[in-house]
Amino acid sequence: MALEDKMKILEKLEEGASNTDVGRLFGVHESTVRTIKRNEAAIRASMESVSPVCAKVLCVPRDANIEKMETALTFWVEDQTIGGRPLTLKAICSQAKRIYKQLVETTGKGNPDKFHASKGWFEKFRHRYSLRNSRLMGEEEPLDAQSAPRYSKQVQRLIRARGYEPQQVFNAEETSLFWKCMPSRTFREKDKNPESLEEAKDRISLIFCANAAGDKMIKPLLLYKDPNPACLLEKDKKRLPVFWRSHPKVSLTAALFLDWFHNCFIHQARSYLIEKNLEFRVLLILDRGPNHPDSLFFAHPNVDIVFLPLEGTSYLQPLDQGIIEAFRRYYTKHMFDHFADCIEKNPCLTLKETWQQYNIADALVVIKEAMDDIKPAALNKAWWKLWDDVVNDYACFPRANEEVAKIIESAKRMDFKFLDIEEGEINELLKFQALAITERESASVNTEEDKSPEPEVKMNLRKLNAVLRQASDLIDAAIDMDPFLDRSLAFKKDFNKLLYTYKEVQKNLQNKAKGLKKENEDPSKEEEMWTKEMDTESESEGESESESESEPDSESHNEEKVEGKREDKKAPEEDPGPSGSGTETLTISEESAKVINAELDFWNLTLELNLERVEVPELKEEENPEAVPSK
């Protein structure tokens, strides 16, 4: 109903008309008239504002604190979902009230008792932020700090009963990362095209796995949408710092997890325990999810599986105790440093151009650097809730504020637009990077995606030589530049140590190249093989031939065949004399020459065998057979 009609209804009511009469007059129900009368103050206030009288929707501005509260609440819901923590209606409403009260105390505006977090509000909030995939589970409460020690004691009792050492107990956890995500102020509004927004939301999935001792981190599984991106065509995917796999939806399935378990985890865990002189027996602690099938219990005889309770995963899981959050901070810092270094090398590049050139190959380097920043002591301390006896130092965990301050310094190096960046923007970026799958798919993986043909990757000797020449030029330039000779010589020594690996690869490639060249230049081995084959063939033919053949007939017949072959495959420039001492110039290929030599050897051996049978005294076995082809 238009605002003008509502005002007319209010005027009729002021004149003393009843609700029933007004409803009949305007053709509306009596309850509608009562509702309009109840909202009289808001309707008149809207009439006094700039709202047109023909407006059909009455717009009442919402409380700014409620808007901020709902935004913060979405991040909290997503964090709980990532950790596998079940959510209830009561838990979400309680958290909403808590956040709203904090905002009112911070801003000093509003009344904390005004917001009730009713069920109607929740339904609108859920529809407004599209939280259809949120898992709401009855009245079940999450595992709290009082009931958690009971389950952790059960795990510790199992570890003691089986006799596991800290080096033999592992924990694996999945996370997701928007690997090209940047702060919201990176691009102007006119630069925010749909393609850039899609690139910023390009996501990868990772599986981290580490032991309780903290000194071993298994190579993480990385899922990407493309099995063979262009930037990795010249890289051997078996030698990447991650266990590379692909999935069109970048979602971890049971088949992909089993692939990582058998082809990566088992091999690395066995090699690590052998180095530590320990028996290959492993306890793997996982969360309960559809991508961790029950078949894991029988996947390997030396690996025991323990599933954490669904309602207590985020509280007890060791890698959820700050390790994954620390990795995201390290990744963001190194990504900003990468952009700053690229701009310093080429000042003509803008931040947007550098960001567009940032590909998954660069991200793998940044991921490796971020993983190296995670200290073994921090990995060990993360087990304090599940296995507190194994923790050596409780004061070694990295402080988030210090890491965020380093990220801010790296952001200031990138562009002048980040000189006034604040800690809140970095925290918002880190939370956005943590957004993962809200509903894990349990469908089986499409094996065709993983079995796509990969090109064979080999080291190029020419490129390697060019790199080593550049390294040598760099050493010479450093010696010429530095006035202190001892310092430059120390640099040369250390730099040559770093190049030792590539120099060994260069030697191996050079030896292989020489061996191939030698085989091509010396075909004597091939000729010997041909001679042996011809011997066997000639003997079989000699036995099958009749002894009644005469010497002149066979000799003339064979000579005609040999001459026919020569006429077909040779182009003589000069006719040889009757004595056979003439010279000939061949214009045939090397392969054709090998075929001719082999056929000549065959016919010469056949002639020799035939002559031996008629006992011609002029030819003997001791004579050199190489003299025959010259006739």
Side-chain angles (χ1 to χ4, degrees):
M1 182 178 293
L3 188 61
E4 184 179 6
D5 296 335
K6 294 179 181 179
M7 291 297 299
K8 291 180 180 180
I9 290 175
L10 292 175
E11 291 176 0
K12 290 293 183 181
L13 292 175
E14 287 180 353
E15 293 176 359
S18 63
N19 296 336
T20 305
D21 295 337
V22 174
R24 289 174 182 173
L25 179 62
F26 288 92
V28 296
H29 197 270
E30 183 182 354
S31 61
T32 304
V33 178
R34 288 197 299 269
T35 303
I36 293 174
K37 185 178 181 180
R38 189 167 53 250
N39 297 330
E40 180 179 1
I43 294 173
R44 294 188 181 278
S46 179
M47 192 67 185
E48 294 174 0
S49 64
V50 294
S51 301
V53 295
C54 60
K56 294 185 178 182
V57 180
L58 179 62
C59 298
V60 180
R62 300 185 69 199
D63 188 357
N65 289 331
I66 293 180
E67 293 285 345
K68 294 180 181 179
M69 178 273 298
E70 290 183 352
T71 303
L73 185 63
T74 55
F75 287 116
W76 179 81
V77 170
E78 286 158 356
D79 288 340
Q80 300 301 310
T81 308
I82 290 170
R85 196 172 187 176
L87 297 175
T88 62
L89 175 63
K90 182 179 178 181
I92 294 177
C93 293
S94 300
Q95 183 69 13
K97 290 180 181 180
R98 193 178 301 111
I99 295 174
Y100 182 79
K101 184 178 180 181
Q102 293 175 356
L103 290 172
V104 170
E105 294 175 355
T106 303
T107 59
K109 298 179 180 180
N111 184 6
D113 298 331
K114 179 181 177 181
F115 178 68
H116 302 287
S118 62
K119 186 175 181 181
W121 163 85
F122 172 77
E123 292 298 331
K124 294 178 182 179
F125 165 75
R126 184 179 180 183
H127 178 71
R128 189 180 298 118
Y129 288 91
S130 301
L131 298 180
R132 292 183 295 272
N133 292 331
S134 298
R135 186 179 298 174
L136 305 175
M137 307 196 53
E139 298 297 329
E140 186 178 2
E141 292 293 333
L143 198 67
D144 55 8
Q146 295 180 355
S147 56
R150 183 171 63 254
Y151 184 82
S152 62
K153 288 181 180 179
Q154 295 177 1
V155 175
Q156 295 175 23
R157 193 180 305 114
L158 172 64
I159 293 173
R160 288 192 298 269
R162 298 292 182 90
Y164 285 113
E165 297 292 335
Q167 292 83 358
Q168 297 172 317
V169 182
F170 287 82
N171 173 234
E173 171 66 356
E174 176 198 0
T175 186
S176 292
L177 185 72
F178 292 109
W179 58 278
K180 293 192 73 171
C181 185
M182 292 288 287
S184 57
R185 66 167 69 185
T186 304
F187 309 118
R188 301 175 182 174
E189 290 297 327
K190 64 179 182 180
D191 296 332
K192 291 183 178 180
N193 52 49
E195 294 182 0
S196 298
L197 295 176
E198 288 297 325
E199 286 187 57
K201 293 181 180 180
D202 198 2
R203 182 169 55 86
I204 59 176
S205 292
L206 294 162
I207 288 184
F208 291 105
C209 183
N211 64 352
D215 59 347
K216 181 57 180 179
M217 203 167 182
I218 304 295
K219 181 185 289 189
L221 168 68
L222 186 143
L223 285 180
Y224 189 59
K225 61 183 180 182
D226 188 1
N228 293 312
C231 56
L232 293 178
L233 289 179
E234 297 184 358
K235 301 294 183 182
D236 187 0
K237 294 184 180 60
K238 295 180 181 179
R239 307 299 293 270
L240 295 176
V242 297
F243 187 74
W244 180 273
R245 287 295 182 267
S246 64
H247 191 274
K249 294 184 179 180
V250 199
S251 59
L252 181 65
T253 61
L256 283 171
F257 185 84
L258 288 173
D259 183 16
W260 172 81
F261 177 82
H262 289 290
N263 299 321
C264 182
F265 175 76
I266 294 296
H267 297 307
Q268 293 203 3
R270 181 189 290 111
S271 301
Y272 163 74
L273 293 176
I274 290 175
E275 291 178 1
K276 295 294 183 179
N277 294 324
L278 293 173
E279 183 184 359
F280 176 48
R281 293 172 54 251
V282 173
L283 177 64
L284 181 59
I285 300 175
L286 303 170
D287 59 344
R288 192 61 157 156
N291 47 21
H292 300 151
D294 293 336
S295 59
L296 283 171
F297 288 111
F298 315 101
H300 198 279
N302 294 345
V303 178
D304 291 333
I305 305 295
V306 170
F307 287 115
L308 295 173
L310 184 62
E311 65 276 7
T313 299
S314 60
Y315 186 83
L316 292 173
Q317 183 114 268
L319 291 178
D320 275 341
Q321 311 308 317
I323 298 299
I324 294 178
E325 288 78 4
F327 167 78
R328 294 189 186 117
R329 292 193 294 268
Y330 295 145
Y331 177 87
T332 304
K333 177 185 178 302
H334 287 293
M335 182 178 64
F336 288 175
D337 289 338
H338 172 81
F339 292 151
D341 294 339
C342 291
I343 294 174
E344 290 177 1
K345 292 178 183 178
N346 188 1
C348 298
L349 286 176
T350 63
L351 178 59
K352 181 181 178 181
E353 292 173 346
T354 307
W355 177 80
Q356 289 175 342
Q357 295 175 4
Y358 185 68
N359 53 37
I360 190 64
D362 300 326
L364 291 179
V365 177
V366 176
I367 288 173
K368 175 61 176 171
E369 294 174 348
M371 289 175 56
D372 293 340
D373 286 347
I374 301 176
K375 298 180 180 179
L379 292 173
N380 173 252
K381 195 260 179 183
W383 291 75
W384 69 279
K385 288 184 178 179
L386 190 62
W387 191 8
D388 55 351
D389 294 340
V390 79
V391 179
N392 298 321
D393 186 6
Y394 284 88
C396 64
F397 212 74
R399 296 180 180 179
N401 296 333
E402 296 177 359
E403 298 299 331
V404 171
K406 294 179 181 179
I407 295 174
I408 293 175
E409 294 298 324
S410 300
K412 292 179 180 179
R413 289 181 56 210
M414 290 192 301
D415 197 274
F416 66 91
K417 290 186 291 187
F418 296 100
L419 294 178
D420 59 342
I421 193 170
E422 298 179 355
E423 182 177 349
E425 295 184 57
I426 301 299
N427 291 329
E428 182 181 356
L429 172 64
L430 295 174
K431 288 182 178 180
F432 181 73
Q433 281 185 337
L435 297 182
I437 311 167
T438 56
E439 182 176 342
R440 295 177 178 176
E441 297 179 355
S442 59
S444 60
V445 67
N446 184 4
T447 56
E448 294 181 359
E449 295 292 334
D450 294 332
K451 293 184 179 180
S452 56
E454 296 183 3
E456 185 178 1
V457 182
K458 293 183 180 180
M459 179 73 76
N460 191 324
L461 180 59
R462 180 174 57 82
K463 293 182 180 180
L464 180 60
N465 292 336
V467 170
L468 293 178
R469 280 195 299 270
Q470 292 176 0
S472 179
D473 295 339
L474 177 62
I475 293 174
D476 295 339
I479 293 175
D480 295 339
M481 173 270 302
D482 197 345
F484 299 103
L485 185 60
D486 54 350
R487 182 171 58 188
S488 60
L489 292 178
F491 166 76
K492 179 181 180 181
K493 182 179 179 181
D494 295 338
F495 199 79
N496 284 327
K497 288 181 180 179
L498 296 176
L499 295 176
Y500 175 77
T501 303
Y502 286 113
K503 288 182 178 179
E504 289 295 318
V505 175
Q506 184 188 35
K507 288 181 181 179
N508 295 334
L509 292 177
Q510 288 175 347
N511 293 333
K512 289 181 180 179
K514 290 179 181 178
L516 292 175
K517 186 177 180 181
K518 204 169 185 181
E519 290 179 1
N520 294 332
E521 291 179 353
D522 184 15
S524 58
K525 296 181 179 180
E526 295 183 1
E527 292 183 0
E528 290 179 1
M529 294 176 63
W530 273 96
T531 304
K532 292 180 179 179
E533 291 179 1
M534 293 305 107
D535 288 341
T536 55
E537 291 180 3
S538 60
E539 288 178 0
S540 61
E541 287 188 5
E543 292 177 357
S544 62
E545 287 179 356
S546 175
E547 296 182 359
S548 61
E549 294 180 352
S550 60
E551 174 188 357
D553 294 339
S554 60
E555 185 173 358
S556 61
H557 181 68
N558 292 331
E559 287 179 354
E560 286 175 2
K561 287 189 176 182
V562 173
E563 290 299 327
K565 295 288 183 179
R566 291 181 180 178
E567 289 176 359
D568 293 338
K569 299 183 179 182
K570 293 185 181 181
E573 293 182 357
E574 298 180 1
D575 294 330
S579 61
S581 60
T583 59
E584 297 180 355
T585 303
L586 300 179
T587 59
I588 58 178
S589 62
E590 184 178 354
E591 295 181 357
S592 300
K594 292 180 179 179
V595 173
I596 293 172
N597 290 332
E599 292 181 353
L600 289 175
D601 292 340
F602 168 73
W603 290 112
N604 289 330
L605 290 171
T606 306
L607 287 172
E608 184 178 353
L609 290 172
N610 292 334
L611 292 175
E612 286 178 0
R613 286 173 182 164
V614 297
E615 298 181 358
V616 179
E618 285 78 10
L619 293 175
K620 296 182 179 180
E621 293 181 1
E622 290 80 4
E623 293 182 1
N624 186 8
E626 295 181 355
V628 180
S630 64
K631 293 184 181 181

